[in-house]
Amino acid sequence: MRQQIIRELSQAKRSIIVEHGYLTDRSVIKVLRQLNRSGITVQVILPDFSDGAWHSNMESAHKLLKPSFTHPSYKNTIEVFLYPGMIHAKAILIDESTAIIGSANLTYGSFDHLNETNVILRKKNRAVEQLREQFQKDIALSKRLTPTTIPRYFLILAWLQRNLI
């Protein structure tokens, strides 16, 4: 699942929106940063309340938003939003025409240990359009994070959550 999601993300030409309850997989975070560095608009919606991965989600928000020391000319334009409440969505929209929806979280446990799956919708259709509309509504309700407004989180709890969920 991880390889397929990364493959789909890597085909983006303009934009990616990710709305997930748990985003802790470092490979996915790395790809999102690389794609943003190449000019792709990246928006991520995470829950402000989580039933088990809040600290690891905040660590992921930090990783997504931090400046790049290896690419000093790169201006990070990734947007991370905190949705007020829990999100159980597991959805990605690429270039407003490809949607990935399913049961697989963007976590090590989901990718490496659980038999979860997703479906990929590749044509711009009503389902994909409704997903885009819902993302816009969720972003409007959310608070945008910056590197200085990420809530305090505990690294040891982030590590535990990242490795156990």
Side-chain angles (χ1 to χ4, degrees):
M1 186 63 56
R2 176 187 290 113
Q3 287 77 21
Q4 185 63 39
I5 288 175
I6 288 173
R7 193 171 15 257
E8 295 296 327
L9 290 171
S10 298
Q11 293 178 24
K13 298 198 179 356
R14 295 178 308 283
S15 64
I16 296 169
I17 304 174
V18 175
E19 184 166 1
H20 266 257
Y22 313 115
L23 191 162
T24 63
D25 186 84
R26 289 186 174 174
S27 299
V28 172
I29 293 167
K30 181 179 178 181
V31 166
L32 291 172
R33 283 183 57 89
Q34 289 171 340
L35 290 166
N36 181 249
R37 199 167 39 246
S38 70
I40 306 296
T41 299
V42 175
Q43 296 177 301
V44 175
I45 308 164
L46 296 171
D48 192 18
F49 171 78
S50 175
D51 58 1
W54 189 86
H55 292 275
S56 57
N57 275 347
M58 291 310 106
E59 181 185 39
S60 296
H62 173 78
K63 289 178 185 313
L64 287 163
L65 293 173
K66 71 180 182 180
S68 174
F69 298 109
T70 56
H71 299 88
S73 63
Y74 160 58
K75 183 180 180 329
N76 187 343
T77 61
I78 294 175
E79 295 179 304
V80 177
F81 299 91
L82 278 187
Y83 180 81
M86 181 57 195
I87 296 172
H88 282 288
K90 296 154 185 79
I92 300 171
L93 183 61
I94 301 167
D95 292 335
E96 297 188 10
S97 62
T98 300
I100 304 170
I101 305 168
S103 65
N105 287 297
L106 301 177
T107 66
Y108 296 118
S110 186
F111 288 148
D112 298 336
H113 304 293
L114 303 173
N115 292 323
E116 296 184 296
T117 190
N118 287 346
V119 64
I120 300 172
L121 305 172
R122 294 192 190 279
K123 284 189 174 181
K124 195 167 190 173
N125 57 40
R126 187 64 190 137
V128 172
E129 181 61 24
Q130 286 177 326
L131 182 62
R132 187 192 65 76
E133 290 169 5
Q134 187 61 52
F135 282 168
Q136 295 310 315
K137 289 176 187 175
D138 291 349
I139 287 171
L141 292 171
S142 299
K143 176 178 81 173
R144 184 173 175 194
L145 292 180
T146 67
T148 59
T149 63
I150 297 170
R152 287 184 59 173
Y153 60 92
F154 294 102
L155 286 174
I156 189 69
L157 291 175
W159 183 88
L160 285 168
Q161 291 171 351
R162 183 176 63 248
N163 288 290
L164 296 176
I165 293 179

